[in-house]
Amino acid sequence: MKEMALPSGSAFLLVRVFPWRVRPRVMKASTLRDADPMFDLTDVGGFLVGLGLWILILVAAPVLVVVFAALLLPVEVTLVVLLVPVVVLARLAGVVPWVIVIVDGAGHERVERTRNLLRVVRRVRAINGGGRVPVRWRWS
């Protein structure tokens, strides 16, 4: 198999901690535009009840956050301990591809995806002229 001509510049291995991309949540403008007005000056009783609930929430919210954090911490730690080995094994097994980012002299980036870690290491070393393989970590 003949190797491609290597571009000038450098390359690095890009490792995403979470291999999936987070999709942005977008609300349509018509949702707010078509909504009924929430505040009516003739409803003083409703305003006072709302004000009382707002004060109650301001007082109770910090307490609830601390209680929920204490209750959910063991669940979160267990989930992370179980999820990390699964993601690492999926990446090493080739289910999740490795990403090589090649930067040319002008600063343009080109991305290559490969499922074999050894092939990734060889490719990055060939582009960089040997040595260590630089790794950049990203959350998503």
Side-chain angles (χ1 to χ4, degrees):
M1 180 171 151
K2 192 174 181 183
E3 183 127 0
M4 295 174 25
L6 300 175
S8 63
S10 63
F12 59 88
L13 175 63
L14 177 66
V15 177
R16 289 192 179 110
V17 176
F18 301 116
W20 55 87
R21 291 190 184 260
V22 178
R23 288 183 292 176
R25 307 284 185 224
V26 179
M27 183 173 36
K28 296 177 184 175
S30 63
T31 304
L32 292 176
R33 189 173 30 244
D34 299 339
D36 292 332
M38 293 187 220
F39 187 70
D40 188 6
L41 292 176
T42 59
D43 189 14
V44 177
F47 174 74
L48 293 177
V49 169
L51 184 64
L53 286 174
W54 181 69
I55 292 172
L56 179 68
I57 288 172
L58 283 178
V59 172
V63 174
L64 288 175
V65 167
V66 170
V67 169
F68 283 141
L71 292 175
L72 292 177
L73 183 64
V75 175
E76 291 174 354
V77 169
T78 305
L79 183 66
V80 168
V81 167
L82 293 176
L83 189 63
V84 167
V86 170
V87 171
V88 169
L89 285 175
R91 189 173 294 275
L92 290 175
V95 176
V96 179
W98 297 94
V99 177
I100 304 170
V101 179
I102 301 171
V103 182
D104 62 4
H108 297 97
E109 294 183 353
R110 189 178 55 154
V111 175
E112 295 179 6
R113 286 176 170 60
T114 308
R115 296 192 182 274
N116 188 337
L117 180 60
L118 297 176
R119 192 175 300 143
V120 168
V121 171
R122 273 190 253 125
R123 177 79 171 130
V124 172
R125 282 185 179 163
I127 294 171
N128 291 343
R132 296 179 59 215
V133 175
V135 176
R136 302 263 170 93
W137 293 84
R138 288 198 184 150
W139 282 103
S140 63

